[in-house]
Amino acid sequence: MLRLLRFSALTIALSYVAVSLVVLAAFATPLWYAWRETVEESRGKALEAESFRLVNIFNTEGPDKLASAIDLQVGTEAAGAENLILFTDASMVRLAGNLWVWPRQVPHAHGSYHLSIDVNGTPTRARLQYTMLPGGYHLLVASDITKYRTLEKFFIYGLITAAGAVLLLGIVGGLLIRRTLLVKVHDINRAALAIMQGNFSHRLPAYSGESELNTLVETQNRMLDQIEHLIVGIQNVSNAIAHDLRTPLAELRSRLEELTVTRPGPEQTFVEIDGAIADVDRVIGIFNALLRLAEIDAGTRRAGFVAVDATGIVSEVIEFYQPMAELQGRTLSFTSPGPLELGCDPLLLAQAISNLIDNALKYAQKNGTVKVEARGQPDGTIEIAVSDDGPGIPDEEKEKVLERFYRGDMSRGTPGVGLGLSLVVAVARLHGGELKLSDNRPGLTATLVLLSSANSSADPGAARLSAS
């Protein structure tokens, strides 16, 4: 029983059949009731009127005149007429009418009855009006309702036939739908099996036309696209981690091995130890950056969201990097129209801006300029743009440099592991925004786009969803 109640195409079809039968019954029941009541009421009124007319003749003109009127009436009616009349004396001896014997089924009491009586040797279903007249006379007026019973049977048979047709068509239709769905589900299962076996580029088969199944397939294919992207990203990150960790670890081992073999003096030993510490710091830096990215991606830093002035945060970062820029002989400037209210994690925002400025100072020309600008936009976003006059990034690499551990040709000789812009992208997504890279001619402009507190929801996660 529970197996039949499980969700399936056949269950849906049977449910539809059941609902159709209930609707059919709901339509037929009041119709049947109205038919019965209307016909019964009309027959009852007709019998009462006929009985009243005959009783009136008896009361005004006497039993002989009533007998003559009844014989005249039944004599002029066509054979097989539905009206039945019997007028008898006190001894139940027939005086007039088209019934020859008083029906023994009729109770000896005045009233209206539904009985099956014998009419010329034929059992007949009839409605009767029995009236006892003064002087012991008896008057029975009846109406043959057999033909109405035939109509009622036709109605019932038609109703049963309709219900059977609905049931049969519903079951056949349900089986056909189930068969069709099973064929499509089988195709989806085969595609899913191929994906489970490692072919992540495989997609579920799409079908022509618009349907709920196609909508589900499209959604699943988009999900598979995202899964493939994540898996490829994980593979790339794993390869990049292995590559970037190998160099400092190899240098560390080489230093330690050299110390073991050569056993230099204390001064040279401490120099090599300092180099080993630097190699370890590089490894720790990589893992710290990965942990920050994982923490941001998981959304655990959303608890630190507060309303702050973005201009103030950028100013503090500029103040921190100003001495470094002066030592490098580069100009670091900042412009802003005024306070810009922003709901964010101040530490993460400062980290993202620091990464952008650090990159700009790293690649700007000698004695070049790095410009930072914070501005509000009509759509409610806040943009923090960092521009330099360095070599820039080719258009074909602008998307790649946002990937984790990716390092372009221009950055091969510079320190770093390729996680700076990745962290900025993660911070932007956490705040419902994005990082845009554009040409500065010469140089590069990195624009951090964030939702202002006036346009973000109380839940930063909701703001992120609405922005994406």
Side-chain angles (χ1 to χ4, degrees):
M1 183 64 180
L2 293 177
R3 185 177 181 181
L4 293 176
L5 293 177
R6 290 186 304 177
F7 182 82
S8 65
L10 185 59
T11 303
I12 295 175
L14 292 178
S15 300
Y16 178 78
V17 170
V19 171
S20 300
L21 292 177
V22 170
V23 172
L24 185 62
F27 169 77
T29 301
L31 185 63
W32 169 261
Y33 179 78
W35 156 263
R36 290 294 301 270
E37 290 299 313
T38 301
V39 172
E40 289 295 329
E41 184 178 3
S42 62
R43 284 201 297 255
K45 289 182 178 180
L47 286 178
E48 289 176 0
E50 179 68 8
S51 180
F52 179 78
R53 184 182 69 83
L54 296 177
V55 170
N56 190 46
I57 294 175
F58 178 87
N59 291 332
T60 57
E61 301 183 25
D64 294 336
K65 190 63 177 179
L66 175 59
S68 300
I70 291 174
D71 285 337
L72 179 62
Q73 177 178 336
V74 298
T76 56
E77 288 181 348
E82 65 178 27
N83 290 328
L84 303 172
I85 303 175
L86 179 59
F87 177 48
T88 69
D89 58 14
S91 301
M92 294 295 182
V93 176
R94 175 181 174 275
L95 300 178
N98 52 3
L99 280 176
W100 299 98
V101 179
W102 186 269
R104 65 178 181 276
Q105 297 88 349
V106 179
H108 296 284
H110 176 83
S112 178
Y113 306 98
H114 285 83
L115 298 171
S116 178
I117 61 175
D118 183 75
V119 179
N120 299 326
T122 303
T124 303
R125 187 71 180 176
R127 175 164 181 165
L128 304 94
Q129 184 70 36
Y130 172 36
T131 306
M132 290 184 290
L133 302 173
Y137 292 95
H138 304 273
L139 176 63
L140 184 65
V141 181
S143 176
D144 185 0
I145 60 175
T146 304
K147 67 176 183 179
Y148 295 105
R149 290 294 182 186
T150 303
L151 291 176
E152 291 173 358
K153 289 181 181 179
F154 284 151
F155 179 81
I156 293 174
Y157 293 155
L159 186 62
I160 294 175
T161 302
V166 169
L167 183 62
L168 179 62
L169 292 176
I171 294 176
V172 173
L175 292 175
L176 291 177
I177 294 173
R178 181 174 182 271
R179 180 180 179 84
T180 303
L181 286 178
L182 285 178
V183 171
K184 294 183 178 181
V185 170
H186 180 65
D187 294 339
I188 294 175
N189 284 338
R190 286 190 300 177
L193 182 60
I195 296 170
M196 292 170 59
Q197 292 174 347
N199 185 6
F200 296 106
S201 62
H202 198 88
R203 293 296 177 267
L204 303 181
Y207 302 95
S208 59
E210 295 184 0
S211 66
E212 293 80 0
L213 188 61
N214 280 346
T215 302
L216 178 61
V217 167
E218 291 174 1
T219 302
Q220 295 295 320
N221 282 337
R222 288 196 297 269
M223 181 184 69
L224 291 173
D225 290 338
Q226 183 67 15
I227 292 174
E228 182 184 15
H229 175 73
L230 292 175
I231 291 177
V232 172
I234 291 173
Q235 292 173 346
N236 293 337
V237 168
S238 300
N239 294 334
I241 290 176
H243 178 271
D244 283 277
L245 288 181
R246 182 174 56 187
T247 300
L249 291 177
E251 291 179 359
L252 176 61
R253 186 184 187 283
S254 177
R255 291 179 188 276
L256 297 177
E257 184 178 15
E258 185 177 356
L259 286 175
T260 302
V261 174
T262 61
R263 300 183 182 277
E267 183 176 352
Q268 182 63 28
T269 299
F270 283 112
V271 170
E272 294 298 328
I273 290 176
D274 290 339
I277 292 174
D279 292 335
V280 173
D281 288 341
R282 287 176 59 188
V283 175
I284 294 175
I286 292 174
F287 281 108
N288 286 339
L290 289 173
L291 289 174
R292 285 197 300 272
L293 286 172
E295 189 178 33
I296 294 171
D297 290 341
T300 55
R301 294 298 296 263
R302 292 174 187 157
F305 272 61
V306 294
V308 298
D309 177 18
T311 301
I313 293 179
V314 179
S315 298
E316 293 177 1
V317 177
I318 293 292
E319 184 178 353
F320 176 81
Y321 276 94
Q322 197 67 252
M324 181 186 298
E326 293 175 357
L327 288 175
Q328 296 176 354
R330 297 183 172 95
T331 302
L332 178 59
S333 63
F334 173 54
T335 58
S336 174
L340 297 171
E341 186 179 355
L342 177 67
C344 69
D345 185 318
L347 295 178
L348 288 180
L349 181 60
Q351 178 70 61
I353 298 171
S354 298
N355 287 6
L356 295 179
I357 295 177
D358 187 71
N359 278 349
L361 291 174
K362 187 185 300 181
Y363 296 106
Q365 295 182 10
K366 188 176 182 179
N367 300 323
T369 301
V370 174
K371 297 180 180 179
V372 182
E373 180 182 3
R375 54 184 179 262
Q377 296 298 323
D379 61 358
T381 59
I382 293 176
E383 294 184 352
I384 301 173
V386 179
S387 304
D388 62 67
D389 55 0
I393 298 176
D395 291 338
E396 61 272 13
E397 288 193 14
K398 282 187 172 65
E399 292 293 332
K400 294 181 180 179
V401 296
L402 301 180
E403 299 176 1
R404 298 176 185 181
F405 293 103
Y406 180 83
R407 306 195 72 197
D409 295 334
M410 295 294 182
S411 60
R412 294 299 180 190
T414 60
V417 294
L419 289 174
L421 291 181
S422 300
L423 189 141
V424 178
V425 170
V427 172
R429 289 177 178 171
L430 183 69
H431 292 78
E434 59 180 334
L435 176 63
K436 297 180 180 179
L437 302 180
S438 59
D439 293 329
N440 192 36
R441 304 185 187 281
L444 177 73
T445 296
T447 304
L448 183 61
V449 183
L450 305 169
L451 286 180
S452 67
S453 59
N455 289 273
S456 62
S457 66
D459 180 8
R464 178 186 177 192
L465 292 175
S466 61
S468 59

